[in-house]
């Protein structure tokens, strides 16, 4: 077992999942303004450190993805944020892409940037305590898209990112997100997501990535949010499993799904069904941003000093997701 494989398994084994708290300041500002809280660096830290020091971290969270601002912050207890996370038994991680920009010659599509100077930034993040990283490529579905140009260039970029991350002793999370926006059917999502993931692995293999030392972070297979042909959660789980089975090489230790704008309950129930029906050897867990934080953020915004209420809400969500990562979640437990 390689060191990278050990780190990956520590993050995703035994029902543990990943807390994606890597919102850039722009996104975090939207989230905070939506609940009428000023987006200052103190407030961003105050919310996040409440989550990172909650009880639910110990039992449920194997890794936390941070944003550059947060990994450099000091918590109110005097510990650095990576120390706070490590103390709960989770692995600190860091988002290293610098965002999705317009793709030249296909301006309605995006290419994720951040390769310039990445080797040097990775060394700095390793010294700060990070042992895994994240990079998100984003694709949208319409009649023309995603184009081969967007698929190939993002897959190539994800592979170059992964090579640099492994060179620096960290586990890359490879996140190709096919967005749910649109009126496409779930079968179109299945075809397009499979094409994207297959291309990513073609490039990862070309770039000699140790596949046992990565975590794949894909979307689940859903009908577009404006589609008339919605499918059941059971069908979501079966189509998602079909996609993973057909496009992911066996060496990959696990899959940590993104929630992608699903409600907290849908993201939990779908993951639970994926695990109940799991006919692969992959660990199937979560790497949720919104589906772990939404309710906690609302509660926190009512009284930003009330640590207990925020943490209770987060603990419940984390517990439910961890049950789902083991196929043990139920509506009764949800509402207990
Ligand atoms: C946490 O949000 C991340 C978005 O970062 P930006 O601020 O740079 O847009 C995002 O990549 C996130 O990690 C994944 O999409 C998973 O989050 P969701 O909310 O989809 O589970």
């Amino acid at each position: 077992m390689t060191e990278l494989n050990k780190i990956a398994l520590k993050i995703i084994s035994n029902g543990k999942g990943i807390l994606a708290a890597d919102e850039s300041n722009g996104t975090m500002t939207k989230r905070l303004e939506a609940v009428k809280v000023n987006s200052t660096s103190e407030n961003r830290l105050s919310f996040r450190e409440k989550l990172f020091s909650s009880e639910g971290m110990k039992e449920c969270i194997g890794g936390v993805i941070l944003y550059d601002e947060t990994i450099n912050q000091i918590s109110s207890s005097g510990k650095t944020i990576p120390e706070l996370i490590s103390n709960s038994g989770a692995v600190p991680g860091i988002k290293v892409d610098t965002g999705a920009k317009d793709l030249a010659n296909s301006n309605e599509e995006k290419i994720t940037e951040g390769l310039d100077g990445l080797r040097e930034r990775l060394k700095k993040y390793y010294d700060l305590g990070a042992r895994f990283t994240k990079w998100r490529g984003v694709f949208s579905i319409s009649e023309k898209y995603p184009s081969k140009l967007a698929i190939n260039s993002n897959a190539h970029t994800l592979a170059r990112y992964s090579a640099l991350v492994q060179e620096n002793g960290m586990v890359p999370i490879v996140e190709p997100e096919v967005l749910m926006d649109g009126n496409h059917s779930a079968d179109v999502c299945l075809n397009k997501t499979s094409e994207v993931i297959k291309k990513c692995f073609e490039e990862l293999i070309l770039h000699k990535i140790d596949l046992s030392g990565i975590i794949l972070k894909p979307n689940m297979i859903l009908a577009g949010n404006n589609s008339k042909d919605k499918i059941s959660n059971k069908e979501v789980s079966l189509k998602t499993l079909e996609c993973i089975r057909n496009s992911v090489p066996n060496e990959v230790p696990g899959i940590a799904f993104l929630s992608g704008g699903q409600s907290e309950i849908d993201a939990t129930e779908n993951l639970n069904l994926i695990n109940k029906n799991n006919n692969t050897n992959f660990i199937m867990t979560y790497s949720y941003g919104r589906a772990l934080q939404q309710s906690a953020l609302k509660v926190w915004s009512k009284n930003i000093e009330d640590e207990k209420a925020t943490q209770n809400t987060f603990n419940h969500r984390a517990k439910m997701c961890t049950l789902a990562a083991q196929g043990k979640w139920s509506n009764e437990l949800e509402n207990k």
Side-chain angles (χ1 to χ4, degrees), residues 20-28 31 65 67 95 97 99 134 136 175 177 217 257-262 287-293:
D22 59 307
E23 298 87 354
S24 56
N25 286 350
T27 302
M28 199 56 184
R31 304 264 189 271
I65 317 173
Y67 180 58
K95 184 233 295 289
D97 68 62
K134 192 201 91 171
R136 171 173 171 258
E175 180 179 2
E177 176 174 8
K217 175 167 174 170
F257 292 98
L258 57 91
S259 56
Q262 297 181 66
S287 176
Y288 291 165
R290 285 162 286 183
L292 270 175
Q293 301 184 62

Side-chain angles (χ1 to χ4, degrees), residues 55-226:
E55 270 304 300
M57 285 284 298
K58 293 188 192 135
E59 199 190 335
C60 306
I61 303 297
V64 179
I65 317 173
L66 300 167
Y67 180 58
D68 181 73
E69 175 184 75
T70 325
I71 201 171
N72 286 293
Q73 282 173 320
I74 305 291
S75 67
S76 52
S77 65
K79 292 190 181 85
T80 67
I81 293 295
E83 278 167 357
L84 188 64
I85 291 168
S86 301
N87 285 351
S88 75
V91 181
I94 179 79
K95 184 233 295 289
V96 299
D97 68 62
T98 55
K101 308 284 159 58
D102 287 346
L103 175 62
N105 290 332
S106 189
N107 285 334
E108 289 173 89
E109 296 189 283
K110 301 283 178 197
I111 178 73
T112 303
E113 296 192 346
L115 288 175
D116 288 351
L118 180 57
R119 184 176 265 133
E120 292 67 35
R121 286 195 290 128
L122 290 172
K123 292 189 197 322
K124 193 190 85 185
Y125 288 137
Y126 188 96
D127 291 344
L128 286 169
R131 291 296 176 268
F132 76 103
T133 65
K134 192 201 91 171
W135 181 292
R136 171 173 171 258
V138 54
F139 307 86
S140 51
I141 297 184
S142 68
E143 249 169 59
K144 295 196 283 188
Y145 302 131
S147 66
K148 288 260 179 289
L149 175 60
I151 294 175
N152 291 1
S153 45
N154 275 295
H156 172 84
T157 311
L158 276 163
R160 288 185 56 197
Y161 139 81
S162 299
L164 286 166
V165 171
Q166 289 195 337
E167 177 190 279
N168 282 282
M170 293 182 278
V171 168
I173 292 194
V174 174
E175 180 179 2
E177 176 174 8
V178 179
L179 298 170
M180 63 149 81
D181 305 336
N183 53 17
H184 53 271
S185 67
D187 283 328
V188 170
C189 178
L190 173 60
N191 289 339
K192 297 297 175 191
T193 304
S194 304
E195 187 183 347
V196 165
I197 295 178
K198 279 181 187 157
K199 189 69 198 176
C200 286
F201 280 105
E202 203 181 301
E203 288 287 327
L204 290 169
I205 291 164
L206 185 66
H207 287 253
K208 304 187 171 61
I209 303 306
D210 168 9
L211 295 184
S212 75
I214 73 158
I215 297 169
L216 179 70
K217 175 167 174 170
N219 50 286
M220 293 180 191
I221 303 302
L222 307 167
N225 55 1
N226 291 322

